[in-house]
Amino acid sequence: MQDYHTAAWRVASCPSPMSPPNYAMFGTGKIRLGICCMAKKQSSKPMLEFLSRIKASGHFEIVLFSEPMILNDPPESWPRVDCCIPFFSFGFPLDKAVRYAEMHHETFFLTEPREQAVLLDRRSVYHALVRNNIPVVYHVICDRDDGKTPTIEEFENHIVINGKRVDKPFVEKPVDSEDHNIRIYYRDGKGSRHLFRKVGNKSSEFYPGVNNIRTEGSFIYETFVETSDAQDVKVYTVGIDYAHAESRKSPVVDGEVQRDKNGKEIRYKMPLNEDERQVARKIVKVFRQRVCGFDLLRTEGQSFVCDVNGWSFVKGNTEYYNTASSIIVEIFLEEMQKRGLSRMIHDRPGKRELKGVLALFRHGDRTPKQKIKLKTKNAKIIEKAFGSEPGERNELVMKGTDSPTQPLTSWMELFAELEKTESNPADREKYAAICCVMGREAEGLKLQLKPQSYTGELVVNQAQVILKWGGWLTDAGRMQARNLGNAFNKRVLRKTDGEVPCKIEVFSNNERRVRNTAIEFAVACEEDWQVSSLNGGSRGGDICSSLDDTEKAKKSIEASKSLIDRVMNIGDPNEVQQWGHLPGLEAVCQLKETPKRAMQHCHRLMNELIGHIPEDKNLHREESSALVRQRWTKLAEGFYCKKTEVYDTTKISDIFDYISYDVSYNQEALFPLDLYPLFELAQVLNNFVGIGEYGLTPESRHLIGAQIIIPLLSQWEIDLQELATLEEPRTRLYFSSESHISALYNVLYNTPGLKSPFHVVADPIHLHYLSHIVMKVYEYSDEPLTSPERLQMEVLFSNGIDTNAFGIVQDHHVSSLTPMIRIHNNLAASDFEKIVSEAHAIVEETSLANSPSRDELFLKMQEEKITMLQLEERMLAAQKLDKKRKAKEADAEALKANAAQQQQ
């Protein structure tokens, strides 16, 4: 037998459950932990072992959901808890648990109820395994559900189902995961073995005369695998970084269960290899079950997953109970810190009245942005776009939904004609691609023609054709926006104490995907609330501009991008170390020794993907395989310059966009390539680059955020003044892009000198689709009318859509919204005014002094190869000079003022 620590694998160390974890106590109260399962499971010895250890940690109040309540009472009446462990067993009403989870987004569920439903159907399990490139044995599904009649041909040594052949010996599994009546059929009419749940010392029975497959019900047929040493491997996971594995005698041998002298089934602890550990990580992520089990078949150096279970425990292993319960405690405490429960942020006493709600949202899931560029001297294109008369010409722009159909149709006809007559193969391919896109897309399509050069007579003789498309809301994005609108309606706008904002105003910037997100969100609210027209009528135009402009931050953002570009292209590990303080860089270096090596690996994976794109196949939204190959090829070519051996880090966000999109919508078509390594690497790279673009230090994040968000902050100041005077509360919802939600988040978290700081979720943080910040404005009537404390805000935050693109939900993680957490309970109006004034101050100071931002100084440090200490010395010297300059200017202004007074 193996030592436990050899058999069980864990990346992160875990404290003993009896010793206090490294977390502050959550006020004087305890975390309410709900156990939602059948009575038999609640009272089982493994569950009692876990609960005794969790309770001994001193942080939890255990709330047992009684079986009669679970079976007979509606989920609306079930107790509210902070954390919950729900899991299915026979008779458990999983649909009610799903409804309970949907009603309580603020509750953390250790095992997600919705995804547990997938585990009940082996077809869904296998589909998820295949979709996420987790190794499974060759199999065919025989589906007779809902009146389906598959084509079945049965021969002595093989069967053919819907044209797919499976040779004997093969395994016949019912699609119902709770049905353990599994059969193995042998070759040459040598019978079959029937497996079942253990009865005494028997786990299977041999039937020499049963050679034909079952003719009723739905089944999975898979190739029978001879396992190493006739052993099955059971793996038990707890969290993403821990797995315990045991082997037992396979029931296919003779059906006799091996037991020790105490009557327990004999099992041996088994070490997992690195590939199996990666499989364990994937299964936890894919099925969203932090505690689960799965079965492995080991054969000839390979391992295959043959079953995935829900909540599973190792039996009779004290050390496992200690370690696993400690991990669960750690997971709960980390989640409670992230969610900022009321016990961590104390409620302000006093009578209050809701005055209104202000909120900013990022748009929903979108398609990748794409474009085709073509330089041409073709006379037909130039004549059609600019004519033949002399004189300077402006750019010609046509949009798919904003222009009459005929102009774009006539252009497509011209490009189709040129595709046939063009002699240059590269240009001919681009004309074909342009025709393909124009014939397929409409929404968001944009055709631009720019004059590039003129003859001596000022007649255009060269032009650039640019076709842009993509970046619009996906079907999943629309549904996500509706789901969020529905959840927002129920959890923010409707409260049990009678808070009812009577009117909702919705404002959006002019980007199509943002406007469509706002429209879909408003549709979900419209059933119960009066929703004003989008952008609120006459005053909407000014507000729209506050949600669009990022021009003032352009210089600062470019400085951050330049620094990121230089740091990411460092190939020397020693040189990288001095930049380890930059947020997100450490995670990049954990994957590969240096950022440059990580990008090299990313580039290799991109080229591998390009090689696996199928020929002549339409993918999602009828995108042709040629267009998919073209967008990935163009991106790979632009990402790395062979001549300079430098990677363009501005392409990383596109890489993550593309791989996220293809994982969600095109993964099956790109099978058998495993997309997970590229997705994981691109996500880590993008977390560093995406965060860093908006500032690499607290000071630069505050500056860039202020440069972007000041117009909206100023608008919210006006809104607050209006809300204070209105008798009926109002809700004003603002929709914009990543730049604005990142800017608001960074300004809130980096404003100095607030009386009460924000509860830190993560600073900085990468904000996903539909991330949002909500301010509920209250008036405290026990404060004087003139008091700056009379108006206070409860600030809520959600990071939007869960980015686990390898999830199992069939509608592309539509329902995966991260819960809204409270990051400030009583932000006074005076503190909000300080946030606005500090934002103005840092922007004005930077513009007046014309001094470099901290990121620009970091960039200089990298260019000149100076140390951090030398940089700090330079910055202090620069600050002293700046103070002296400002003092001189102030003295000069004072002298002028005195002189003016004397003259008077």
Side-chain angles (χ1 to χ4, degrees):
M1 287 192 294
Q2 301 291 328
D3 178 72
Y4 176 80
H5 292 290
T6 306
W9 137 72
R10 178 110 203 277
V11 173
S13 61
C14 194
S16 164
M18 301 303 294
S19 62
N22 296 321
Y23 297 96
M25 285 294 290
F26 295 87
T28 56
K30 292 186 177 182
I31 298 168
R32 286 169 57 82
L33 170 60
I35 309 299
C36 182
C37 60
M38 302 300 279
K40 184 178 179 180
K41 296 295 182 181
Q42 285 185 8
S43 60
S44 67
K45 186 174 180 181
M47 177 61 82
L48 294 176
E49 294 278 3
F50 268 95
L51 292 184
S52 66
R53 287 163 171 79
I54 290 172
K55 192 171 183 179
S57 71
H59 293 290
F60 298 91
E61 173 194 346
I62 307 298
V63 180
L64 297 176
F65 288 29
S66 71
E67 186 170 304
M69 180 193 75
I70 292 172
L71 294 176
N72 303 320
D73 296 349
E76 288 81 1
S77 67
W78 294 3
R80 294 185 65 170
V81 292
D82 302 322
C83 307
C84 190
I85 301 177
F87 63 89
F88 175 84
S89 62
F90 181 76
F92 181 79
L94 190 56
D95 58 332
K96 293 171 77 172
V98 171
R99 280 169 52 203
Y100 178 76
E102 289 173 346
M103 288 187 294
H104 297 289
H105 279 220
E106 73 283 356
T107 299
F108 170 66
F109 292 87
L110 188 69
T111 48
E112 297 287 349
R114 179 182 292 277
E115 279 72 13
Q116 287 183 48
V118 177
L119 297 175
L120 301 181
D121 189 322
R122 288 190 173 99
R123 288 168 296 194
S124 300
V125 171
Y126 272 59
H127 176 82
L129 293 171
V130 170
R131 183 171 183 263
N132 291 281
N133 297 291
I134 296 171
V136 295
V137 178
Y138 172 75
H139 62 279
V140 174
I141 295 175
C142 176
D143 191 351
R144 295 189 179 96
D145 288 3
D146 302 322
K148 297 186 182 77
T149 53
T151 302
I152 301 173
E153 299 173 83
E154 188 169 10
F155 304 91
E156 183 179 29
N157 286 323
H158 72 275
I159 57 172
V160 180
I161 299 174
N162 294 331
K164 294 182 179 180
R165 172 171 170 161
V166 187
D167 290 321
K168 289 184 178 179
F170 57 69
V171 182
E172 180 187 62
K173 294 181 179 179
V175 296
D176 181 358
S177 298
E178 292 297 294
D179 187 343
H180 295 269
N181 296 302
I182 296 170
R183 296 183 183 181
I184 301 167
Y185 296 92
Y186 299 106
R187 296 181 63 82
D188 303 323
K190 293 181 179 179
S192 59
R193 179 166 290 278
H194 298 193
L195 282 61
F196 43 79
R197 282 193 181 274
K198 290 189 289 287
V199 179
N201 289 330
K202 296 291 290 183
S203 59
S204 70
E205 196 76 55
F206 180 67
Y207 290 83
V210 180
N211 290 292
N212 295 324
I213 63 174
R214 285 173 273 189
T215 57
E216 293 184 1
S218 296
F219 299 92
I220 295 176
Y221 293 90
E222 66 182 34
T223 303
F224 175 72
V225 173
E226 292 279 0
T227 57
S228 306
D229 301 322
Q231 296 284 304
D232 285 349
V233 178
K234 301 281 185 181
V235 184
Y236 302 86
T237 68
V238 183
I240 198 169
D241 292 327
Y242 176 84
H244 172 90
E246 296 181 342
S247 67
R248 67 168 187 181
K249 177 186 173 184
S250 173
V252 307
V253 179
D254 56 15
E256 296 293 329
V257 179
Q258 285 185 331
R259 298 188 184 275
D260 62 17
K261 61 182 181 181
N262 297 316
K264 293 182 179 179
E265 184 180 23
I266 296 174
R267 294 192 176 194
Y268 300 94
K269 296 168 186 174
M270 296 290 294
L272 296 176
N273 61 39
E274 183 55 35
D275 288 342
E276 291 167 340
R277 294 174 186 177
Q278 289 298 331
V279 165
R281 286 191 182 97
K282 272 192 179 183
I283 284 176
V284 172
K285 285 185 175 181
V286 167
F287 294 94
R288 304 171 73 85
Q289 305 298 303
R290 293 171 182 84
V291 178
C292 70
F294 65 92
D295 297 346
L296 279 176
L297 300 173
R298 284 177 169 175
T299 178
E300 298 179 354
Q302 289 183 290
S303 296
F304 299 94
V305 176
C306 62
D307 199 9
V308 179
N309 317 119
W311 184 272
S312 300
F313 283 144
V314 177
K315 295 181 177 67
N317 189 314
T318 301
E319 195 162 4
Y320 166 80
Y321 294 144
N322 287 341
T323 305
S325 60
S326 182
I327 295 169
I328 291 172
V329 168
E330 189 176 351
I331 291 170
F332 282 144
L333 293 178
E334 285 179 353
E335 285 296 328
M336 292 304 96
Q337 281 193 333
K338 289 178 184 177
R339 290 164 188 251
L341 292 182
S342 58
R343 59 177 53 90
M344 297 178 66
I345 306 175
H346 300 291
D347 289 334
R348 179 202 182 282
K351 186 179 179 181
R352 68 181 189 178
E353 177 189 358
L354 183 69
K355 299 298 291 182
V357 178
L358 302 175
L360 176 66
F361 298 83
R362 187 186 174 190
H363 60 76
D365 179 47
R366 62 166 174 78
T367 60
K369 297 178 185 177
Q370 300 182 65
K371 61 184 172 184
I372 298 173
K373 287 185 176 182
L374 170 70
K375 288 183 180 179
T376 181
K377 293 186 176 181
N378 184 277
K380 291 184 177 180
I381 291 177
I382 291 171
E383 170 71 23
K384 184 174 177 63
F386 308 110
S388 57
E389 296 296 319
E392 291 190 5
R393 293 290 186 269
N394 294 323
E395 171 186 2
L396 178 64
V397 179
M398 292 166 283
K399 294 184 179 180
T401 55
D402 296 339
S403 306
T405 306
Q406 185 60 33
L408 281 179
T409 302
S410 64
W411 276 102
M412 188 170 71
E413 290 170 354
L414 175 57
F415 291 136
E417 177 189 333
L418 295 175
E419 179 193 352
K420 297 174 183 176
T421 58
E422 177 61 52
S423 58
N424 185 320
D427 286 352
R428 187 166 61 246
E429 185 179 338
K430 287 186 178 180
Y431 285 133
I434 288 172
C435 290
C436 179
V437 173
M438 293 183 73
R440 178 173 55 86
E441 304 290 352
E443 184 183 9
L445 192 70
K446 185 178 180 181
L447 179 64
Q448 297 170 262
L449 292 104
K450 298 181 178 181
Q452 285 205 311
S453 64
Y454 295 82
T455 65
E457 292 77 27
L458 282 180
V459 175
V460 178
N461 64 357
Q462 181 171 299
Q464 184 177 43
V465 179
I466 305 173
L467 183 68
K468 296 180 180 179
W469 73 100
W472 51 78
L473 209 60
T474 62
D475 292 339
R478 292 178 186 276
M479 189 59 69
Q480 289 162 358
R482 289 190 182 187
N483 287 351
L484 178 57
N486 185 49
F488 191 84
N489 191 352
K490 291 177 179 177
R491 296 176 183 87
V492 177
L493 302 185
R494 181 185 288 117
K495 301 288 285 183
T496 56
D497 57 5
E499 299 172 358
V500 181
C502 63
K503 184 178 181 182
I504 299 174
E505 296 175 285
V506 182
F507 303 93
S508 160
N509 72 15
N510 289 317
E511 292 180 340
R512 191 182 307 274
R513 59 182 169 274
V514 179
R515 288 177 62 84
N516 286 342
T517 300
I519 290 168
E520 297 294 342
F521 184 99
V523 164
C525 293
E526 200 167 10
E527 293 179 7
D528 302 288
W529 308 104
Q530 177 189 351
V531 181
S532 71
S533 60
L534 189 65
N535 293 337
S538 59
R539 72 191 193 101
D542 293 335
I543 298 175
C544 274
S545 63
S546 72
L547 298 166
D548 261 327
D549 189 21
T550 59
E551 187 63 29
K552 288 183 179 178
K554 187 175 181 179
K555 180 186 174 186
S556 303
I557 290 174
E558 287 302 320
S560 297
K561 286 182 176 180
S562 297
L563 178 56
I564 290 167
D565 203 58
R566 291 177 181 273
V567 171
M568 289 287 284
N569 277 285
I570 296 173
D572 182 359
N574 295 323
E575 192 178 345
V576 173
Q577 287 180 2
Q578 67 172 314
W579 299 99
H581 63 284
L582 297 180
L585 187 61
E586 183 181 357
V588 174
C589 295
Q590 284 176 350
L591 293 177
K592 295 292 177 180
E593 198 173 9
T594 68
K596 189 163 188 176
R597 291 178 190 175
M599 292 192 293
Q600 287 171 343
H601 186 50
C602 182
H603 195 242
R604 282 196 296 271
L605 293 174
M606 291 169 69
N607 286 318
E608 186 180 343
L609 182 149
I610 291 166
H612 281 79
I613 295 172
E615 296 288 341
D616 301 325
K617 189 171 184 179
N618 281 345
L619 304 176
H620 185 65
R621 291 178 67 103
E622 298 183 357
E623 184 180 26
S624 68
S625 54
L627 281 175
V628 176
R629 187 180 300 104
Q630 183 185 70
R631 65 172 160 88
W632 274 107
T633 301
K634 181 182 176 184
L635 186 57
E637 290 172 351
F639 183 42
Y640 178 63
C641 177
K642 290 183 180 179
K643 186 176 180 180
T644 61
E645 297 184 346
V646 169
Y647 290 88
D648 182 356
T649 57
T650 63
K651 304 294 185 187
I652 287 173
S653 61
D654 291 333
I655 296 171
F656 183 61
D657 270 356
Y658 283 15
I659 190 62
S660 297
Y661 182 79
D662 285 331
V663 160
S664 292
Y665 300 102
N666 293 325
Q667 188 176 358
E668 289 181 18
L670 296 172
F671 182 78
L673 182 66
D674 185 357
L675 299 182
Y676 185 77
L678 179 55
F679 174 83
E680 184 179 46
L681 179 55
Q683 187 174 41
V684 173
L685 292 173
N686 189 57
N687 282 346
F688 172 62
V689 173
I691 291 170
E693 178 180 335
Y694 298 106
L696 290 160
T697 64
E699 296 88 346
S700 57
R701 285 193 289 276
H702 189 204
L703 171 62
I704 293 172
Q707 289 170 329
I708 293 172
I709 208 67
I710 277 177
L712 182 62
L713 288 177
S714 300
Q715 179 58 49
W716 279 14
E717 272 195 308
I718 296 170
D719 290 344
L720 285 173
Q721 291 168 7
E722 289 185 17
L723 292 176
T725 60
L726 293 173
E727 292 185 6
E728 293 183 334
R730 295 285 182 92
T731 294
R732 288 177 179 162
L733 309 177
Y734 298 80
F735 289 80
S736 189
S737 55
E738 180 188 10
S739 60
H740 280 66
I741 192 73
S742 297
L744 180 58
Y745 186 94
N746 286 337
V747 166
L748 294 181
Y749 273 96
N750 292 289
T751 299
L754 297 180
K755 294 176 185 176
S756 176
F758 285 82
H759 168 63
V760 176
V761 179
D763 185 21
I765 188 171
H766 187 73
L767 300 173
H768 306 144
Y769 294 130
L770 288 179
S771 52
H772 49 282
I773 294 172
V774 180
M775 291 188 176
K776 298 188 74 176
V777 184
Y778 291 95
E779 184 177 35
Y780 284 84
S781 56
D782 56 340
E783 291 284 348
L785 286 171
T786 57
S787 170
E789 309 294 323
R790 188 175 177 89
L791 215 60
Q792 299 193 20
M793 285 157 278
E794 177 185 344
V795 187
L796 306 168
F797 165 73
S798 166
N799 204 12
I801 298 302
D802 190 336
T803 56
N804 177 23
F806 283 82
I808 56 174
V809 180
Q810 300 301 309
D811 53 4
H812 307 295
H813 54 274
V814 161
S815 61
S816 302
L817 284 164
T818 57
M820 196 181 301
I821 61 175
R822 189 163 52 174
I823 57 176
H824 206 301
N825 195 47
N826 46 3
L827 180 70
S830 56
D831 261 352
F832 185 79
E833 290 170 4
K834 183 172 181 60
I835 289 170
V836 180
S837 63
E838 288 289 339
H840 279 286
I842 192 172
V843 171
E844 289 169 7
E845 185 178 338
T846 304
S847 60
L848 286 173
N850 200 24
S851 58
S853 69
R854 191 176 178 91
D855 284 356
E856 289 176 287
L857 288 168
F858 274 138
L859 182 59
K860 193 171 184 64
M861 167 185 168
Q862 206 280 329
E863 289 173 340
E864 298 183 10
K865 309 289 185 186
I866 62 176
T867 67
M868 183 66 71
L869 180 61
Q870 289 171 321
L871 176 68
E872 294 292 344
E873 288 173 350
R874 286 191 184 186
M875 290 180 67
L876 287 172
Q879 288 171 3
K880 287 178 181 178
L881 287 173
D882 199 38
K883 285 182 179 178
K884 287 182 180 179
R885 179 185 57 76
K886 288 180 179 178
K888 285 182 179 179
E889 289 176 355
D891 289 343
E893 289 295 326
L895 287 172
K896 285 182 183 178
N898 287 335
Q901 286 179 356
Q902 288 174 3
Q903 286 178 358
Q904 290 176 358

